[in-house]
Amino acid sequence: MKICRFNTTRLGLVKNNEVLDVTEALSALPTLQWPMVFEDPLIANLPEVMAKIKTLASTAERFNLSDVTLNSPVTLASKLPSAPVNYLKHLAEVEGDPTTFHTHHLKRIEEVGLFLKASSSLVGPGDGVALRHLDRRNDHELELAVIIGKKADRVSPEEALDYVAGYAIGLDITIRGPEERSLRKSIDSYSVLGPWMTTVDELSDPSNLEIELHVNGELRQRANTKDLIIDVPHLIAWASEYYALLPGDVIFTGTPDGVGPVLPGDVITARIEHLGEMSVLVRQA
Ligand code: MN
């Protein structure tokens, strides 16, 4: 199933080039009670929501995809665990770049470990990226994004995919420079998730997906997730050794080579096989 959020408050089922308005399926969500649980309620109750969506689809109001604003399918993530350099070709690219002056960047992912992007940086493609610090270089990073579906606490790589709700395209927008990644990659709107969530009943194996990114029509990044240094099951297992992954947490799996700068007015077009394509406008904050 391809489940989107659109026009801020609407829930959609994506079919071909249409969005079916299935907002009524949100009635499957439990009412909020204090103290809140730190999870995305839609993702945490996905089986119930998906059952409702199935009953609503045939009579749902339909919109053209091009006529709606797509927001992030995840609205509440406790954290955005992210992989640093996780493709060998991107490692070579970073090592050859004189602006990479912090030794931190040059170490292998196994030494550096994962980092966290702020959850508040999460937006959808229709929201766009609002650049800050225009005197510095702001880069696009195309990444496969993994949306966690249920609490994963010290799980093994063999069972890790059982904890996934779905997949989406992720953009890990980054200011280049010497500061910690968690600062440079956590600016509001610097984590783009979209165009929708493709649930695991539709895509069960994330290990061989073509991914590509264009800026203003120019090809910048093209790779395949089979070339990840640490694959999705091992990323989930590794992260869950340190903290429980909760429903709605999004893992940014790392970017391939070809990262480059974006400026206000640019349009980023990102595509991942089976997950769709999204266009994201870059502007000044
Ligand atoms: Mn990244």
Side-chain angles (χ1 to χ4, degrees):
M1 215 176 248
K2 295 182 170 73
I3 301 172
C4 72
R5 179 163 66 96
F6 69 100
N7 299 353
T8 308
T9 57
R10 312 304 294 177
L11 186 70
L13 174 66
V14 179
K15 291 245 182 185
N16 302 314
N17 284 319
E18 288 188 317
V19 177
L20 283 55
D21 188 333
V22 291
T23 307
E24 221 182 300
L26 296 175
S27 64
L29 302 187
T31 49
L32 290 177
Q33 286 197 318
W34 188 89
M36 307 299 188
V37 183
F38 214 158
E39 63 189 18
D40 184 300
L42 176 75
I43 308 294
N45 295 280
L46 199 57
E48 294 81 2
V49 173
M50 286 173 70
K52 283 256 187 196
I53 289 176
K54 278 180 188 155
T55 68
L56 293 165
S58 60
T59 55
E61 188 180 357
R62 291 164 179 261
F63 299 89
N64 284 324
L65 250 180
S66 53
D67 291 337
V68 304
T69 299
L70 291 168
N71 310 107
S72 168
V74 170
T75 59
L76 187 58
S78 79
K79 52 196 168 296
L80 307 175
S82 305
V85 179
N86 197 17
Y87 287 84
L88 283 174
K89 275 195 198 164
H90 178 50
L91 180 67
E93 173 179 70
V94 173
E95 283 172 340
D97 183 344
T99 66
T100 304
F101 38 85
H102 201 261
T103 53
H104 204 70
H105 299 240
L106 300 177
K107 289 183 181 161
R108 297 287 176 128
I109 180 171
E110 295 87 343
E111 298 171 72
V112 178
L114 303 174
F115 63 93
L116 297 179
K117 285 164 75 75
S119 307
S120 48
S121 64
L122 197 59
V123 296
D127 302 308
V129 171
L131 295 182
R132 301 189 188 187
H133 301 287
L134 288 172
D135 53 325
R136 297 173 60 178
R137 187 169 143 179
N138 283 269
D139 278 1
H140 57 76
E141 296 190 358
L142 168 65
E143 315 200 356
L144 171 69
V146 181
I147 301 166
I148 296 298
K150 53 187 182 183
K151 184 177 179 180
D153 184 4
R154 287 159 288 180
V155 301
S156 70
E158 291 71 31
E159 60 183 345
L161 293 185
D162 296 343
Y163 293 84
V164 177
Y167 300 94
I169 305 170
L171 296 180
D172 172 21
I173 307 295
T174 303
I175 292 187
R176 302 290 290 270
E179 303 96 334
E180 292 284 350
R181 286 181 170 93
S182 63
L183 184 73
R184 294 183 287 109
K185 293 167 173 279
S186 286
I187 293 171
D188 292 355
S189 83
Y190 274 37
S191 301
V192 186
L193 189 72
W196 41 75
M197 172 172 68
T198 299
T199 55
V200 290
D201 58 297
E202 193 159 320
L203 178 75
S204 55
D205 179 11
S207 68
N208 185 13
L209 301 174
E210 290 289 330
I211 73 176
E212 64 177 39
L213 179 143
H214 291 76
V215 176
N216 305 330
E218 175 201 337
L219 178 68
R220 293 277 186 87
Q221 295 187 278
R222 178 179 281 164
N224 188 295
T225 57
K226 69 176 172 354
D227 294 323
L228 281 167
I229 297 170
I230 297 183
D231 65 12
V232 172
H234 286 85
L235 284 173
I236 294 170
W238 192 19
S240 79
E241 283 177 28
Y242 292 87
Y243 35 67
L245 295 165
L246 302 175
D249 284 359
V250 181
I251 299 178
F252 284 72
T253 57
T255 197
D257 60 309
V259 300
V262 286
L263 296 167
D266 286 348
V267 176
I268 301 170
T269 307
R271 195 184 73 81
I272 297 185
E273 191 178 3
H274 301 305
L275 303 184
E277 179 178 303
M278 63 184 191
S279 287
V280 182
L281 179 63
V282 179
R283 63 180 195 279
Q284 182 171 358

